[in-house]
């Protein structure tokens, strides 16, 4: 498993934990700070997950461009 995939899996797990924490805090706790802690954790996990997916897509696109001998399909309106 690559390092990026490991971090994506970790972020998804943290986001699931944060969603469960929000539900728990809303149901059983009387303070608003606990809810905001879990909401913040969920937001950080979501942003990190989007960032890691974007990095993975860039790496994949870069590898495709740098692969010799591979033809790229022409798109309509593209001039060569």
């Amino acid at each position: 498993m690559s390092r990026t995939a490991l971090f994506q899996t970790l972020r998804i797990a943290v986001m699931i934990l944060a969603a469960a924490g929000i539900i728990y805090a809303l149901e059983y706790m009387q303070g608003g700070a606990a809810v905001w802690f879990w909401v913040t954790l969920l937001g950080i996990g979501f942003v990190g997950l989007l960032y890691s997916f974007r990095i993975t897509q860039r790496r994949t696109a870069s590898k495709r461009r740098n692969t010799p001998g591979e033809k790229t399909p022409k798109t309509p309106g593209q001039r060569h």
Side-chain angles (χ1 to χ4, degrees), residues 41-59:
L41 188 63
L42 183 64
I44 290 169
F46 184 71
V47 169
L49 193 62
L50 286 177
Y51 179 74
S52 65
F53 281 140
R54 185 174 177 207
I55 293 294
T56 302
Q57 286 179 342
R58 282 186 176 183
R59 285 182 186 160

Side-chain angles (χ1 to χ4, degrees), residues 18-32:
I22 290 169
I23 293 168
Y24 177 80
L26 286 173
E27 192 73 27
Y28 298 108
M29 294 186 170
Q30 294 296 325

